[in-house]
Amino acid sequence: MYKQSLVVFLFLVVGFTNCLKAQSVFDNNSVTFYGIDFSHFKLADPKYLDQPYLVKEWMPQWVEKSTREKEYYESSFKKEFHFDFEYTLGLIPGLDKDNLVVDSKHVLPRDSVQAIVQCYDLKQEEGLGFVIIAECFNKHTKHPSAYFVWFDIDTREILNANYMSSKEADGYGMVNYWAVGLKGLLNQYRSWFKKNRDNF
């Protein structure tokens, strides 16, 4: 009887703790946004297999054109946003240019997301963090895809991670084309967040 009661108690504690963690994403009024992490990203576009170095040049421009509107985030997520893109932008120069372009869709497994965040070397020591981990820009289908990740900065523990893929890419030139795709992806996630905020 004692063992059964202990098991039930531990189950309730774990469940209650997970509930608190999930709610902290929505209840915390301030968040540090780390921008877009391209460290596990691939461009699925055979046209650029012989010009992969261009992808590294485009990455900061994709970030600049799609994620810099602070009012957009604060109105969308009802939080005070602090932008600190230094870490994620700092990853770009060290990427292997010969490993950035593939012929077909690249898949980043969901179970790898925690390990990615766990390795982040951030200036902040506590609080709520938010990062977009880019998976793939698939030219065949015009689909950009990414994980939208909220995490505890102190422990690097993921509080919520959602995978999004959107057919929104459009425009002239690779920078504008995929910047539009990223904006569409953000709009899709914003809609999901608003819809699930009260039920999460």
Side-chain angles (χ1 to χ4, degrees):
M1 183 67 178
Y2 172 76
K3 290 184 178 179
Q4 289 179 336
S5 299
L6 181 61
V7 169
V8 171
F9 173 74
L10 290 174
F11 177 79
L12 291 173
V13 169
V14 171
F16 180 66
T17 302
N18 287 339
C19 181
L20 287 178
K21 289 177 180 176
Q23 288 180 351
S24 70
V25 174
F26 298 92
D27 294 341
N28 197 312
N29 294 322
S30 179
V31 58
T32 300
F33 178 35
Y34 294 102
I36 303 176
D37 178 355
F38 283 105
S39 62
H40 296 78
F41 165 85
K42 310 287 184 188
L43 172 67
D45 190 341
K47 181 180 178 180
Y48 293 97
L49 283 170
D50 61 346
Q51 297 176 296
Y53 57 88
L54 292 174
V55 180
K56 290 176 70 170
E57 297 178 12
W58 294 329
M59 286 176 176
Q61 298 177 71
W62 287 332
V63 173
E64 187 66 32
K65 286 181 173 289
S66 64
T67 59
R68 290 292 190 177
E69 300 173 28
K70 185 175 181 179
E71 291 183 2
Y72 171 90
Y73 292 95
E74 294 191 334
S75 63
S76 298
F77 302 109
K78 306 302 180 185
K79 301 179 187 300
E80 181 182 1
F81 266 71
H82 305 279
F83 284 41
D84 186 352
F85 294 1
E86 182 180 352
Y87 176 73
T88 53
L89 288 175
L91 294 173
I92 295 174
L95 298 179
D96 179 3
K97 65 178 178 58
D98 296 322
N99 197 33
L100 294 175
V101 182
V102 292
D103 181 61
S104 57
K105 174 73 165 68
H106 163 67
V107 176
L108 179 63
R110 177 179 290 273
D111 59 10
S112 68
V113 175
Q114 178 64 75
I116 292 171
V117 174
Q118 200 70 47
C119 292
Y120 283 176
D121 184 13
L122 307 174
K123 294 186 297 184
Q124 294 77 14
E125 296 182 353
E126 60 182 13
L128 179 65
F130 179 54
V131 67
I132 301 168
I133 301 178
E135 177 190 55
C136 184
F137 292 168
N138 189 349
K139 186 64 186 299
H140 301 284
T141 61
K142 300 184 179 180
H143 279 70
S145 55
Y147 289 93
F148 291 76
V149 183
W150 303 84
F151 63 97
D152 183 299
I153 294 174
D154 177 31
T155 63
R156 303 290 194 271
E157 182 178 358
I158 290 178
L159 305 176
N160 182 254
N162 285 94
Y163 179 82
M164 293 283 164
S165 178
S166 175
K167 192 173 182 179
E168 296 282 347
D170 194 13
Y172 179 76
M174 289 295 283
V175 172
N176 290 325
Y177 187 85
W178 289 113
V180 169
L182 280 169
K183 198 68 175 181
L185 204 60
L186 282 164
N187 287 334
Q188 182 174 318
Y189 182 68
R190 176 179 63 174
S191 297
W192 179 91
F193 188 93
K194 288 181 176 179
K195 182 179 179 180
N196 290 276
R197 182 182 179 92
D198 295 331
N199 300 320
F200 188 77

